[in-house]
Amino acid sequence: MDSTGLINYLIKEPSCSFAITVESWLNTCEGFKEFVQLYRDKIRKKITEASSHEVLGDIQFELEVAYLLCQDKRFKVQYEKYKTNSARSPDFVISFD
């Protein structure tokens, strides 16, 4: 799936600043694009369920962290690997080669 297709899948308003920012990250980092493709259903659910602009900002920050980590190919980034409904868990698990 190309960057535009991913944005259209993830975000209802592809012209909003959030979508434009994420699309620019997709276009500049192949590792981030692979990350988003792998976790697109989870990311879409979080975006869809965002109850406010503040929550959406938190999601954007999470994705920015992933974007920055994915720029270094030595990092393997996993998203919400230990997610449970009953307790807080880390957003990322990072492996270093």
Side-chain angles (χ1 to χ4, degrees):
M1 189 178 298
D2 67 358
S3 298
T4 302
L6 278 171
I7 289 299
N8 289 332
Y9 178 76
L10 296 173
I11 303 170
K12 290 180 183 178
E13 279 188 52
S15 62
C16 72
S17 63
F18 175 69
I20 292 167
T21 300
V22 174
E23 186 169 19
S24 72
W25 296 339
L26 291 168
N27 290 327
T28 58
C29 181
E30 190 62 33
F32 180 69
K33 186 174 181 180
E34 292 169 6
F35 170 86
V36 172
Q37 287 175 335
L38 181 61
Y39 297 106
R40 67 181 176 257
D41 294 333
K42 193 176 289 194
I43 295 167
R44 180 178 191 222
K45 182 177 180 186
K46 288 184 84 165
I47 292 170
T48 302
E49 293 178 352
S51 57
S52 68
H53 288 291
E54 184 177 83
V55 173
L56 196 58
D58 289 345
I59 297 166
Q60 182 174 341
F61 180 71
E62 284 181 7
L63 294 177
E64 184 173 10
V65 169
Y67 167 70
L68 294 170
L69 289 167
C70 288
Q71 289 183 25
D72 189 328
K73 293 180 182 186
R74 297 175 297 172
F75 293 125
K76 179 181 177 195
V77 183
Q78 294 177 296
Y79 191 46
E80 297 182 342
K81 181 177 180 178
Y82 301 112
K83 186 73 172 176
T84 64
N85 291 333
S86 60
R88 293 186 56 119
S89 59
D91 291 326
F92 301 105
V93 173
I94 311 298
S95 302
F96 180 78
D97 290 330

